[in-house]
Amino acid sequence: MDEVARLHFLQDKLRRYNQEYHELDAPTIPDAEYDALYRELVALEARYPDQVGTDSPTQRVGSLELRRNVRLVRHREPMLSLNNGFGFQDLQEFDRRVRTGLGVDEVAYCCEPKFDGLAINLLYREGVLVQGATRGDGEKGEEVTANLMTVKSIPRRMRGSEPWPEWLEVRGEVLMLKKDFERLNERQTRAGERTFVNPRNAAAGALRQLDPAETARRPLVFLAYGVGGGSPEFELPDHQDGLLRWLGTLGFPVAEEVQVVRGESGLRAFFENLSARRASLPYEVDGVVYKVNARIDQQKLGFVTRAPRFALAHKFPAEEALSTVEAIEVQVGRTGTLTPVAHLRPVFVGGVTVTRATLHNDEEIRRKDIRVGDQVWVRRAGDVIPEVVRVVRELRPAGTTAFEMPLTCPVCGSPARRLPEEVSWRCSGGLHCPAQRKQALLHFAGRRAMNVDGLGEKLVDALVERAWVREPADLYRLTLEQWASLPRMARKSAENLVQSLERSKETTLARFLFALGIRQVGERTAHDLALHFVTLEAVMEADETHLQAVADVGPVVAQSLRDFFSAERNRQIIAHLRAQGVHWHENVQESQAVQILAGLTFVLTGTLAHYSREEARNRIEQAGGKVVGSVTRSTHYLVVGRDPGSKVAQARKLDIPVLDEDQWDQLFKEIKA
Ligand code: IVH
């Protein structure tokens, strides 16, 4: 038999097996044999695509593999699919086709999230749920009424009052909320059972449980997006958005995000808006669906084969993709935390190319059993840092070994330690460790710490490698010549840096405390400590009980402060900085000023005579105020310098006080007095 004949032979055979299996409930071959023949057919069809035809068993629309022992029911109105679009060009073409088809200039669309769950058809008779089914192959689906009855958000009886349609098919998706999915997986892990890759799979698993009681244990929700068939005499709302609202009044949950927009620009805006909110939605969406809003226009446009002309599914870029772990590198953070990072074969996921993913800590690596050489699913959702979700164990090459955390710091060789209550290992080298030293210096110089302009990563690397800087105070000891001799450092930049360093010496206690990089002490805590203790000596001498008198300082933070200040080396670091001239005003007035500006919002415009933008901003922020970019009703003051912009007019319109530089200065004096 030649290959083409074999292909047709297999198509016929599999069609018959399907019929035996689904319709006669009397299969004649085992599943595995069916699967093998099916795979052979897929391979042959790939070689002879013109022989596939629409009635090949491989061409069924089914999203779910139909199983044995299930009852199939025919949908009254077939469940069709949507045409997919992947970029703005597809969107533009869709809108153009719709406009041409309707002969109009602009179209109103109903925009909806594209839920990433399972399509469901619910049949109601006189307002009572009588049958629920999956989409199946679009014509016939699996009957899952008992399982759907356990889904709380599916009304068993429509809300409101009669008349209800004699019969109506309500359509939508069954989903698992992200938070419920995480909880389910935790439960599965604890019970030693398999976990699910994503909420969609978990929802499919839940719905297809043979025992409805098991479905009930897995939290599912339903969201309606339309209707299928309905008794012809019953009049439905004439627009898609109205239809959804009507379904809402009958007790069906519909997505809050639904919105009617006009034209292509409206579609685009909706897409961008939902893309930005995707990560924070409670459920997974894999795109948006645009539908011509007027149902009469939908009918005019009609269908092409299996999808409507009046709708488009605009898909988001895939958030998960398969890649290979090429290496696992251990990085050292500012406080010495050893963080394993996977180097990946570059993979396009969530709209960007990803080459690395944090593996968090060795406990996490062990839990997921991630090894060098493994094929892994990489996920990047929204702006979230890429992560490795799961290893494909079936594809693991021979000879891999489990990852072992190094016993010493990969940068300085000091022993790695782990405190009993922590998950992370740390390098014990402190500021002896060049990696920690670099991070500590970058933090020290940061905008919210000492605010030294122009001290970036490359420069810090050069300083530490030359051993010119071992502790922060060394920064102030370098000469202009030394700075200027560093690679890619122009004389002018060196001068600016020295000036910026000089300026940074005048600071506040809060900034100084934050700049020290004490573990657990963020900007807020540093600020609260400064306010409470007023002098550095008081903070350094305070015992844990006193420290805990400060808001948000609990035993862990207090302990960390004690540890830091009792180490001789740290006391020296502080002494050296003060010897270099780092200082701040230690008086109550100064600290209280912080509170007095709190709650006031400023906008800056034009060039000030005595302050750069950055300095002006710092001055306001140090006093507890906030600086924002544009004038709105909630702005308290607009500060204007030379050549102000349109903000002045805006402020006058909104009746917001406009201050010149002197008046602004005065404000500080008034507050201090
Ligand atoms: S309308 C005639 N609206 O996408 C088409 N479908 O490819 C009727 N889906 O499995 C579908 N969210 O279950 C529509 N807001 C939405 C949707 C949506 C998800 C699914 C649908 C079907 C697939 C269509």
Side-chain angles (χ1 to χ4, degrees):
M1 207 183 313
D2 72 4
E3 286 193 326
V4 174
R6 174 80 183 158
L7 181 151
H8 289 290
F9 170 79
L10 286 174
Q11 285 183 342
D12 285 345
K13 231 181 159 59
L14 290 173
R15 255 196 296 271
R16 209 187 66 240
Y17 291 145
N18 279 341
Q19 194 190 19
E20 286 172 358
Y21 181 119
H22 293 301
E23 292 168 33
L24 310 175
D25 259 347
T28 57
I29 58 159
D31 285 3
E33 199 173 325
Y34 176 93
D35 290 343
L37 296 175
Y38 189 91
R39 277 199 302 271
E40 187 187 345
L41 177 60
V42 171
L44 280 172
E45 288 184 344
R47 249 178 289 160
Y48 303 98
D50 54 327
Q51 302 294 320
V52 177
T54 50
D55 60 346
S56 165
T58 61
Q59 298 305 296
R60 288 188 332 205
V61 193
S63 52
L64 288 178
E65 268 296 302
L66 295 171
R67 296 168 302 161
R68 294 171 184 240
N69 301 325
V70 293
R71 204 163 78 85
L72 288 179
V73 291
R74 185 174 290 280
H75 308 307
R76 302 208 157 193
E77 193 70 45
M79 293 181 80
L80 303 179
S81 39
L82 291 167
N83 285 323
N84 287 329
F86 292 93
F88 288 122
Q89 200 178 340
D90 292 343
L91 181 159
Q92 205 170 16
E93 273 163 26
F94 165 69
D95 177 57
R96 191 181 43 73
R97 279 196 309 273
V98 169
R99 278 187 289 114
T100 318
L102 296 174
V104 294
D105 290 340
E106 195 183 62
V107 178
Y109 294 99
C110 183
C111 302
E112 305 170 17
K114 185 170 191 305
F115 313 114
D116 197 6
L118 294 143
I120 290 295
N121 188 32
L122 301 170
L123 179 63
Y124 286 82
R125 258 185 222 291
E126 303 290 351
V128 176
L129 175 63
V130 294
Q131 188 182 79
T134 65
R135 173 169 152 198
D137 66 1
E139 303 286 336
K140 278 180 280 171
E142 289 182 28
E143 194 260 353
V144 282
T145 318
N147 292 11
L148 288 173
M149 293 270 192
T150 71
V151 177
K152 291 199 187 67
S153 53
I154 296 180
R156 297 210 194 175
R157 171 183 287 280
M158 290 177 180
R159 249 202 264 139
S161 53
E162 294 175 64
W164 288 304
E166 189 199 324
W167 66 274
L168 181 72
E169 289 182 320
V170 176
R171 297 205 168 149
E173 299 256 316
V174 163
L175 314 152
M176 192 174 285
L177 299 183
K178 291 176 190 167
K179 67 170 176 16
D180 290 333
F181 164 72
E182 269 149 32
R183 234 175 269 150
L184 171 68
N185 263 357
E186 277 163 24
R187 204 173 74 202
Q188 296 284 107
T189 309
R190 271 200 307 276
E193 288 185 33
R194 70 177 273 244
T195 54
F196 299 94
V197 190
N198 55 40
R200 203 195 103 87
N201 283 22
L207 200 60
R208 306 183 76 206
Q209 290 297 316
L210 293 176
D211 177 7
E214 188 50 41
T215 309
R217 291 185 60 223
R218 308 197 186 176
L220 295 175
V221 296
F222 175 75
L223 282 167
Y225 56 65
V227 299
S231 31
E233 70 289 348
F234 193 86
E235 227 171 277
L236 293 170
D238 50 13
H239 286 79
Q240 171 67 11
D241 66 323
L243 181 77
L244 292 178
R245 269 198 304 277
W246 176 67
L247 287 173
T249 64
L250 295 179
F252 296 94
V254 286
E256 286 168 22
E257 290 74 21
V258 172
Q259 205 185 330
V260 175
V261 304
R262 305 200 136 264
E264 188 207 327
S265 59
L267 297 178
R268 210 182 252 262
F270 183 83
F271 182 84
E272 276 165 0
N273 182 295
L274 204 78
S275 303
R277 288 160 55 201
R278 181 180 188 186
S280 58
L281 292 179
Y283 47 78
E284 299 269 2
V285 294
D286 56 348
V288 301
V289 183
Y290 312 124
K291 300 173 184 171
V292 171
N293 198 28
R295 291 177 20 104
I296 186 144
D297 289 341
Q298 295 186 356
Q299 278 153 23
K300 265 190 229 156
L301 288 162
F303 298 84
V304 229
T305 53
R306 307 196 54 80
R309 280 203 194 85
F310 59 77
L312 181 76
H314 188 172
K315 301 287 278 276
F316 292 134
E319 287 197 311
E320 282 183 11
L322 207 55
S323 178
T324 312
V325 179
E326 292 179 336
I328 297 178
E329 180 201 3
V330 175
Q331 293 184 347
V332 189
R334 173 166 63 85
T335 54
T337 318
L338 302 185
T339 305
V341 175
H343 289 230
L344 303 165
R345 183 173 44 73
V347 62
F348 192 73
V349 53
V352 297
T353 301
V354 168
T355 56
R356 282 153 181 266
T358 170
L359 302 175
H360 305 292
N361 51 57
D362 66 329
E363 212 173 279
E364 184 76 4
I365 299 184
R366 234 174 302 128
R367 196 169 66 74
K368 293 180 178 161
D369 190 16
I370 300 167
R371 302 178 179 196
V372 174
D374 270 340
Q375 305 244 24
V376 291
W377 283 101
V378 179
R379 181 175 171 79
R380 182 187 176 274
D383 292 332
V384 179
I385 309 167
E387 59 170 353
V388 170
V389 194
R390 181 176 78 97
V391 171
V392 187
R393 291 292 291 272
E394 301 75 44
L395 300 178
R396 171 168 288 166
T400 61
T401 49
F403 172 79
E404 298 268 0
M405 205 65 184
L407 299 173
T408 55
C409 168
V411 175
C412 72
S414 304
R417 297 231 169 84
R418 173 153 73 169
L419 298 181
E421 73 277 14
E422 292 190 337
V423 286
S424 298
W425 289 82
R426 283 171 200 290
C427 159
S428 60
L431 290 181
H432 291 312
C433 173
Q436 288 188 61
R437 204 180 294 157
K438 285 177 188 173
Q439 295 302 322
L441 287 170
L442 280 171
H443 173 79
F444 178 84
R447 195 169 75 78
R448 306 203 154 268
M450 300 302 278
N451 192 23
V452 181
D453 260 347
L455 193 64
E457 219 164 302
K458 291 255 158 54
L459 270 184
V460 168
D461 283 355
L463 294 173
V464 172
E465 273 150 28
R466 283 170 178 67
W468 286 0
V469 176
R470 291 176 181 279
E471 57 168 303
D474 294 337
L475 289 171
Y476 296 106
R477 295 198 182 100
L478 293 181
T479 61
L480 180 61
E481 274 56 47
Q482 280 179 300
W483 284 110
S485 74
L486 291 169
R488 287 179 300 274
M489 189 70 163
R491 180 131 196 123
K492 183 73 199 150
S493 322
E495 281 169 12
N496 287 343
L497 229 162
V498 170
Q499 264 175 27
S500 183
L501 275 164
E502 207 47 47
R503 255 188 320 215
S504 78
K505 288 181 181 170
E506 177 169 353
T507 184
T508 64
L509 178 55
R511 277 176 176 267
F512 184 75
L513 282 170
F514 177 57
L516 290 175
I518 306 165
R519 270 176 56 206
Q520 313 283 351
V521 178
E523 211 181 350
R524 184 81 239 166
T525 306
H527 179 264
D528 292 348
L529 286 166
L531 215 57
H532 185 91
F533 289 103
V534 184
T535 69
L536 178 63
E537 286 64 31
V539 185
M540 290 174 74
E541 301 317 325
D543 62 19
E544 286 175 41
T545 320
H546 280 109
L547 288 166
Q548 287 189 50
V550 177
D552 289 339
V553 173
V556 176
V557 182
Q559 167 86 51
S560 172
L561 282 159
R562 284 303 335 127
D563 287 352
F564 185 89
F565 290 119
S566 53
E568 184 48 34
R569 199 171 53 210
N570 292 332
R571 299 178 81 96
Q572 273 177 8
I573 285 174
I574 293 170
H576 294 161
L577 282 167
R578 298 191 96 170
Q580 286 302 315
V582 173
H583 67 283
W584 53 88
H585 293 290
E586 282 177 345
N587 61 52
V588 187
Q589 298 277 311
E590 174 84 1
S591 309
Q592 278 177 353
V594 172
Q595 272 178 324
I596 292 166
L597 264 198
L600 295 184
T601 303
F602 292 78
V603 175
L604 303 171
T605 184
T607 316
L608 298 177
H610 300 105
Y611 295 87
S612 72
R613 251 320 147 80
E614 189 59 29
E615 287 163 346
R617 170 190 279 273
N618 281 343
R619 194 172 180 218
I620 292 169
E621 285 177 354
Q622 277 173 20
K626 204 166 95 183
V627 179
V628 298
S630 53
V631 178
T632 66
R633 272 176 216 293
S634 48
T635 307
H636 293 97
Y637 296 102
L638 175 68
V639 182
V640 293
R642 237 180 333 105
D643 303 327
S646 60
K647 287 174 183 158
V648 179
Q650 175 71 0
R652 298 240 154 88
K653 205 168 84 195
L654 296 175
D655 208 14
I656 285 159
V658 177
L659 308 179
D660 66 18
E661 190 166 342
D662 282 347
Q663 293 167 326
W664 177 59
D665 232 22
Q666 204 57 39
L667 194 67
F668 280 83
K669 296 200 180 108
E670 274 168 26
I671 283 166
K672 270 195 183 172

